[in-house]
Structures are given as C-alpha cells and as structure tokens.
Amino acid sequence: VNLLLVGSFADDEGAAWAEALRQALPSHHLLLDRKPGLAIDVAIVANPPPGSLRGLAGLRLIQSLWAGVDRLLGDETLPAGVPIARMVDPAMNEAMAETALWATLSLQRGFYRYAEQQQQALWRQLPQPRADEWPVLLLGYGQMGRQVARRLAQQGYPVTAWRRHAATAEAAPGVTLCQGRAALQLALAGARVLINLLPLTADTRGLIDAELLARLPPGAAVVNLARGAHLVDADLLAALDSGAIGHAVLDVFQVEPLPAPHPYWRHPKVTVLPHAAALTDLRSAAAMVAANIETLARGGTPTHLVRRDAGY
Amino acid sequence: VNLLLVGSFADDEGAAWAEALRQALPSHHLLLDRKPGLAIDVAIVANPPPGSLRGLAGLRLIQSLWAGVDRLLGDETLPAGVPIARMVDPAMNEAMAETALWATLSLQRGFYRYAEQQQQALWRQLPQPRADEWPVLLLGYGQMGRQVARRLAQQGYPVTAWRRHAATAEAAPGVTLCQGRAALQLALAGARVLINLLPLTADTRGLIDAELLARLPPGAAVVNLARGAHLVDADLLAALDSGAIGHAVLDVFQVEPLPAPHPYWRHPKVTVLPHAAALTDLRSAAAMVAANIETLARGGTPTHLVRRDAGY
C-alpha cells in the first residue's frame, strides 16, 4: 500500500520517523510528499498542518503518531468517513507512568521543596508522610491511565481513578474506580495529588478551574500530563499564590513551546516540563503502526480507532 | 525495666521521642537524665554525645534509634560487652526505597536537567531511555538494600546488588547478587547509576574514590544515601567537572549540616538532600524499640544486634 508521512517535525525528527517506518514496513511504499496521480492508502500523521490531507481521495486510514488527536480532529478539511487510528504505544504508556510516579514521589517526599532549599543552601528536614497516607486521584482511565494507576498502586499509594462515564474497564489491584460529577467532588476532597490524563474534548476543556481546585484539600498538588486547555491557568496561579494549591507539575500548556515570559517558568511552586512526560518511542511506535497497516493490507480492521463524535 | 533516652536531638525531637516511647512502653520507666542510685537497664540512644553511657553498670542493652551505628561504635567509653541493637524500621526502609526510586527515575528521564532548563526558560525535550535500558548497581544488600532493590526491579530497572562478602541472603525477583572486588569492577562497567547503601566501616571508608568512579561508564550517576565518609569528595567533584560522572545525588556528607560555602550546594550537577533520604518514622520505630525491650524484659534475645567487630 502507499503511505504518506505528514507532520510538523522538529529538526531531523521527520527523517527518523521515515527511517523507522521504512524498516518496520519494508514491503510498502512510504512517501514524504504527495505526488500527482499516485493514490495514497494511509496517511501517517503527527500534528499535520491543517489542510494537509485535503482532497486525498481513496484514503483508507489516517494513522496518528500521537496519542492525543484533539488537534487533528479540529482540522475541518480532514476527509470525512476515513477511519482514524491513534497511537497506543506500550513504551509511551510506561513513560507516562514513570513521570506520574516521579511527580507523586517528589510531592509526597518534598523533593521539589528540597530543590528550593538547595538554592538557598538551607539544611532542613521536611515531614515524611508514608505512601499509604498520600491518596492520588487520576482523571482519566484509558490506556495511559491504567498503566499510571497500576504503577502508583504498586508503590503503595491509595489510587482513585475517575472517568466521565461508567465503562467496562476493570480496576487494577489497589485502584478504586468512580464516575460522574458527584463522585468526582467526593474524590477531590480526599486527594493529596490530582493527576490529569483525560482526552481533550468539548466536555473536558477547562475542567480544572477555580471551582474544581477549591474542592481539593489545602496544599494539594496538581499534575497536568494531558492538555494545556484542560486547565484554567489564571485559576491555578491564583490558587498557588493563595496557598490553596501547594505545587503544580505541568507538562502541557495552552501555547507550546511555553513562551519565555509566561509566569509558570519562574513560579517557585511550578515545575515545568517541555511536553516530555511521555515521548513516543520510535521503535515501539513504528511497530504498532506497522501492525495496523499490515492488518489493513490483509483486509482487516485496524486497532485503536478514534470515535470522531466522542473526540478521542 | 528502667530506660534512659540519650541523644543529640534537634528542637523538640527529643520530646517527641520520649512521648512516642512512653506510649509504646507504658509499663516501663523512661528517664531523660541519669539519676544517682537508679540502675538503668536499657539505654535508648540517638547519636549520643561521646561519654554519655560511661559507667552505666548493669546496662543490659543499648538500643540505637539510628540504623547506622558507626558514630556510636566510635565512642571509646561505650560500656564493653553490652549488646547493641540498631534500628530496623520497615517504614524507614520503604522511605529509603522511595528516595532511591525517585533519584533513579530523575536520572533516567532527565528530570534534574529539565529543572535546570526551567531556570533558563529553555524548552527542549531530552532522550527518553526505557527503564530496562538503565542498569542500577547497589552497593550494600542489607535490610535497606533489599527493599531498594525490590522497588527498583519492580519498576523495570535491571538491578545488580554488590556485597563485600558472600552471604546467604536470597535475591529478590529481578535482582542479581554479586560479591568481591572483581565482581564489583565488572558491575561498575555496566551501571548507569551507582547507589551506595553500605554501612560505614574501616573497609568501606573512602570506597567511592577516583579509581572506582573511573570504572563507571561516561556520564553515569552517583547516589550516596549511606555516609559521607564513603565518598572522596575531591574525586567526585573532579569527575563531575570533567564530565566523567554526569550527576550526583548526595544525602550524606563528611560534615553535617553541609556547610554553606561547600561547592556541592551550588554545583549544577549535584542534588543535595539534608540527610533526609530515610527519616526514622517515630510511630513504627517506637514499636520496634518496644518489641525489643519487651523481649529483653521476658528474658529473650533482642533482634538486630550489632556485631561490634564487623562495625555494623
């Protein structure tokens, strides 16, 4: 089949993807540019510029290299009726679990505060709560949420995972599942750390606002690993400055890269990551894409298809 | 039995210990000062000033509130022949495992470098190695080492634990044990992170020197969670400055508190913790002390006795 790779790549990232995909799909034809008269079967996309896929007749699959497809679905020129598959990469899920565990350990044990103290050459021991005294609330329980929940529970944290809707997914050992608005309000009141892993949809945009933050106990922390637009920045900054929220770990922002003058960069209670909580792993991601394309070539149905109406 | 609490306590730490011990040992008599004519059965000590136990005739047990007894054993006025028990606190072992896991995650995923980048408002993603590509070498495999090894292996790191002597301890799942100098040199060559958890003895003092550091691969990290005197500071600083060692996480120092002018405080490749990798947890530690004293009162043999000749 004919494959077209389209994305907004930094530096030689596009070349690295092309190389990994060609190795994983040796019997198919990968193009980096549209050629007049050549029909494309599969578009492999990574944050493609809007309009990139316009007019691609005969397209049978759009395979995203990103797990989040909110920007992709926002492109109104996207060919209608073509199935979209998102990236589900076990190595990426594991990377997300590592970041969530690192942030939770850092918050529980005061390691962000020790880093601040180091800057002042200040020698002072902080309280040492146990993991079982440090409840974590996850928003979202998809592929990534499940791996995050499993790792945190394995390390001894009481984990509650909240979903917007009841679903059939089973809870991992040590994980409590809940759903709906009322359950969320209850769960917020008991959480030391709130970790956001939701998909960005019309329903979840701006979910983490002043009202939600006010339901967390004093000094609780916010860890946003999903999308910048889930969070109302002004509300978070106000809660940090009043002390209502103790710390925030932010990997995603309304505008990326985060502009240099943004107050998050220099806020003593904010840890900024450059959208690096879970990078796609070229090796395992190319293998997942290849499996989907071989399935399609054999006439089967690719996995991890997006529901366009749900937005993820 | 009559108990005497002696230590070098900060602020109201001594009062908190006295309170926790009295609650855990309601049927015994806890003194905070020696009284003429009153025989002391058990001295409960936390870094006691040298000479504190001189002349305590009839002493049946010295119970340390610290896991490390190197300073205690250095006191030449310590009554001879009295058994010494050290602290083995499951909550403290778990706290040590948390710190080791946090340091390893931070090194593997570049979180110390992201913190540096934040100070410069620099948005740059770093390589994302997988845990199974990030071998960890533990020096020491006692009570703490075992818990650290278990947690790291559970998280997917290849873990090798080195002991000075062959011992009967079994390896936890995913942990490789080795012993002796030759095995150490081999293990160093394959390690991305070296974590020190050894007891401080005449054998281990200054073990982490230029020669040992030179056997680690370029850019490997050193995490010292044991005693400052295990490490030759000038050798580490030289290796950090040449780039041979990529980062150091130091919880313990030759002089504590670490003096404000010490270069470690301001070194961009050094993370300083204020001897807080594993604080004694009053609640579980008082329970452990109480169990040992009840055993003694019943005529039994206390647990976790120190071999004075071995030094730990």
Side-chain angles (χ1 to χ4, degrees):
Chain A
V1 304
N2 291 326
L3 316 169
L4 175 68
L5 178 63
V6 199
S8 312
F9 296 111
D11 306 331
D12 47 4
E13 200 192 351
W17 270 114
E19 169 74 14
L21 289 167
R22 284 194 174 115
Q23 286 195 7
L25 291 155
S27 60
H28 301 283
H29 184 49
L30 182 74
L31 292 96
L32 305 184
D33 290 296
R34 294 165 73 156
K35 282 207 175 67
L38 188 67
I40 299 296
D41 300 285
V42 180
I44 302 177
V45 302
N47 197 20
S52 301
L53 306 186
R54 190 200 300 265
L56 277 181
L59 200 60
R60 294 158 63 196
L61 176 66
I62 299 168
Q63 171 68 56
S64 174
L65 297 179
W66 284 28
V69 291
D70 45 290
R71 288 182 221 194
L72 184 65
L73 295 180
D75 179 354
E76 292 180 0
T77 69
L78 212 62
V82 180
I84 301 171
R86 56 191 206 88
M87 173 57 56
V88 174
D89 170 4
M92 197 180 185
N93 295 345
E94 187 58 41
M96 190 60 92
E98 289 169 352
T99 301
L101 181 54
W102 163 79
T104 304
L105 281 166
S106 301
L107 292 161
Q108 174 212 347
R109 293 293 306 279
F111 292 125
Y112 297 126
R113 291 176 61 196
Y114 284 131
E116 259 190 276
Q117 291 186 186
Q118 182 175 351
Q119 290 183 21
Q120 306 156 44
L122 175 59
W123 181 277
R124 184 171 60 193
Q125 296 174 342
L126 300 172
Q128 181 184 276
R130 296 190 311 251
D132 62 9
E133 300 169 325
W134 205 258
V136 179
L137 172 59
L138 288 189
L139 303 185
Y141 197 66
Q143 297 276 347
M144 284 183 173
R146 279 192 274 277
Q147 185 63 5
V148 168
R150 191 176 298 129
R151 288 291 182 201
L152 290 172
Q154 195 179 44
Q155 188 58 35
Y157 297 102
V159 177
T160 301
W162 178 79
R163 302 156 305 164
R164 282 153 308 139
H165 310 291
T168 53
E170 267 184 67
V175 178
T176 305
L177 296 185
C178 65
Q179 65 265 333
R181 279 284 173 158
L184 175 59
Q185 297 185 355
L186 201 67
L188 285 164
R192 295 298 317 157
V193 183
L194 175 74
I195 302 181
N196 178 35
L197 288 166
L198 288 168
L200 182 63
T201 67
D203 278 355
T204 64
R205 186 176 294 270
L207 179 75
I208 306 176
D209 60 4
E211 194 200 325
L212 182 147
L213 294 172
R215 293 187 184 274
L216 287 163
V222 172
V223 180
N224 190 11
L225 306 178
R227 285 289 182 260
H230 284 123
L231 181 65
V232 180
D233 292 326
D235 291 358
L236 176 64
L237 285 166
L240 286 166
D241 291 339
S242 77
I245 296 294
H247 198 89
V249 180
L250 305 177
D251 184 53
V252 288
F253 304 91
Q254 303 271 359
V255 177
E256 295 181 7
L258 184 65
H262 198 287
Y264 282 152
W265 279 119
R266 268 161 295 273
H267 200 294
K269 293 180 181 172
V270 175
T271 298
V272 171
L273 297 176
H275 204 140
L279 305 177
T280 304
D281 187 305
L282 272 188
R283 299 162 292 184
S284 50
M288 181 267 174
V289 169
N292 245 4
I293 287 166
E294 298 293 1
T295 299
L296 187 81
R298 281 198 313 271
T301 304
T303 57
H304 305 306
L305 292 181
V306 168
R307 287 168 292 157
R308 288 198 192 201
D309 57 333
Y312 66 98
Chain B
V1 304
N2 290 327
L3 316 169
L4 176 68
L5 177 64
V6 199
S8 312
F9 295 110
D11 306 328
D12 47 5
E13 198 192 355
W17 269 115
E19 169 73 14
L21 290 166
R22 283 192 176 119
Q23 285 194 8
L25 290 155
S27 59
H28 301 285
H29 185 48
L30 181 75
L31 292 96
L32 304 184
D33 290 295
R34 296 166 70 156
K35 282 206 175 66
L38 187 66
I40 298 297
D41 300 285
V42 180
I44 302 176
V45 301
N47 198 20
S52 301
L53 306 187
R54 190 200 300 266
L56 276 182
L59 200 59
R60 295 158 63 196
L61 176 67
I62 300 168
Q63 171 67 56
S64 175
L65 297 180
W66 285 26
V69 292
D70 46 289
R71 288 182 223 194
L72 184 65
L73 295 179
D75 178 355
E76 291 179 1
T77 69
L78 213 61
V82 180
I84 301 172
R86 57 192 204 85
M87 173 57 57
V88 175
D89 170 5
M92 197 179 185
N93 295 344
E94 187 58 42
M96 189 61 92
E98 289 169 353
T99 301
L101 180 54
W102 163 78
T104 303
L105 280 166
S106 300
L107 293 162
Q108 173 214 345
R109 294 293 306 281
F111 293 125
Y112 297 126
R113 291 176 61 196
Y114 285 129
E116 260 191 275
Q117 292 186 185
Q118 181 175 351
Q119 291 183 22
Q120 304 155 45
L122 175 59
W123 181 276
R124 185 170 60 194
Q125 296 175 343
L126 300 172
Q128 181 184 275
R130 295 192 309 252
D132 63 8
E133 300 169 325
W134 205 258
V136 178
L137 174 58
L138 288 189
L139 303 184
Y141 197 67
Q143 297 276 348
M144 283 183 173
R146 278 192 277 277
Q147 185 64 3
V148 169
R150 191 175 301 130
R151 287 291 182 200
L152 290 172
Q154 195 179 44
Q155 188 57 34
Y157 297 103
V159 177
T160 301
W162 178 78
R163 302 154 306 164
R164 282 153 308 138
H165 310 292
T168 52
E170 265 183 69
V175 178
T176 305
L177 295 184
C178 67
Q179 65 265 332
R181 279 281 173 163
L184 175 59
Q185 297 185 355
L186 201 67
L188 285 165
R192 295 297 318 158
V193 183
L194 176 73
I195 301 181
N196 179 35
L197 288 166
L198 288 166
L200 183 64
T201 67
D203 278 355
T204 63
R205 186 175 292 271
L207 179 75
I208 306 176
D209 61 3
E211 195 200 325
L212 182 146
L213 293 172
R215 293 187 184 275
L216 286 164
V222 172
V223 180
N224 191 11
L225 306 178
R227 284 288 183 262
H230 284 122
L231 181 65
V232 181
D233 291 326
D235 292 359
L236 176 64
L237 285 166
L240 286 166
D241 291 339
S242 76
I245 296 295
H247 199 89
V249 180
L250 305 177
D251 185 54
V252 288
F253 304 91
Q254 303 271 358
V255 177
E256 296 181 7
L258 183 66
H262 199 287
Y264 283 151
W265 279 119
R266 268 160 294 275
H267 200 293
K269 293 179 181 172
V270 176
T271 298
V272 171
L273 297 176
H275 203 140
L279 305 177
T280 303
D281 186 306
L282 272 186
R283 298 162 293 183
S284 50
M288 182 267 171
V289 168
N292 245 4
I293 286 166
E294 298 293 0
T295 299
L296 187 81
R298 282 196 311 269
T301 304
T303 57
H304 306 305
L305 292 180
V306 168
R307 288 166 292 157
R308 288 199 191 200
D309 57 334
Y312 66 97

